[in-house]
Amino acid sequence: MNIFRLAGDMTHMFSVLVLLLKIHTIKSCAGVSVKTQELYAIVFATRYLDIFTSFVSIYNTFMKLVFLGSSFSIVWYMRYHKAVHRTYDREQDTFRHWFLVLSCLLLALLIHEKFTFLEVLWTFSLYLEAVAILPQLVLLQRTRNIDNLTGQYIFLLGGYRGLYILNWIYRYFTEPHFVHWITWITGLVQTLLYADFFYYYFLSWKNNKKLN
Amino acid sequence: KEFDAAHDEL
C-alpha cells in the first residue's frame, strides 16, 4: 500500500458517499445518470466476486463492501425511491449503455491475462469502469447543468483515477515484476476521458459560462 | 494465489 493508492481509494470512496449522501439528503438525483450508476454497480459486482474466496486484508474487504453497498444503494434510490425517482431525467439520460456492457464483455473474452472465469470478469470490470462515466458526461452536456452535485462527483472520480496512475508508477519502480498492461491502459483511457471533461469544466468555470 | 497478488487493488 502506498500513499497514492490510499489517497486514491479515499477519494473514490468519498465520491460515491458524497453522491449517495446528497441524493439521500435532498431527495433528488437531478443531473445524475442512472446508467452510469448501473455500470458502476456492475463493475463492482464483477470485480469483487473474489470477496468470498480470497482475503487480502480487512481494509480491502471493508472497502469492497462500501463500494458495493453505495453503488447499489444509489441505483436503488434512483430507480425505486418514489421522491428521488421523480427527479430522474429519463428523457435526457438515453445513452444505450448495454452496448458498452456487451462490447466490454466481448473485449474481455478476447484480451485478458488468464482465461479463467474470475479473471475474465475482472478484466471485463476494468474495461467497463473505463467507459462507465460516458452516460454521465453525455447527460451533462445535454442538460448543461454542471450543478455542484455532479461536478464534485466527477471531479473526485477523476482525482481517484489520477492518483491510481501515480500509484502504478510508484509500484512499477518499487516492486519487481509489477507489470499489468491491461490495468494500466484501461486506467489511462479512463483518465483521459476525465481530462477532456476537466478541460471544459475549467473553461466554463473560468469564463463563468454554461458548460458546452 | 497469483490471482490475489495481481489483484490486490480495489
Side-chain angles (χ1 to χ4, degrees), chain A residues 5 54 119 122 167-168 171, chain B residues 3-4 6-10:
Chain A
R5 193 167 126 211
S54 71
E119 185 68 29
W122 182 81
N167 152 61
W168 292 325
R171 292 189 75 176
Chain B
F3 182 84
D4 305 348
H7 308 320
D8 63 345
E9 293 182 351
L10 288 168

Side-chain angles (χ1 to χ4, degrees), chain A residues 12 40 43 47 125-132 160-161 190:
Chain A
H12 190 196
Y40 271 117
V43 166
R47 185 175 305 176
S125 80
L126 278 183
Y127 296 147
L128 192 62
E129 185 187 4
V131 294
Y160 135 67
R161 288 319 298 185
Q190 182 175 348

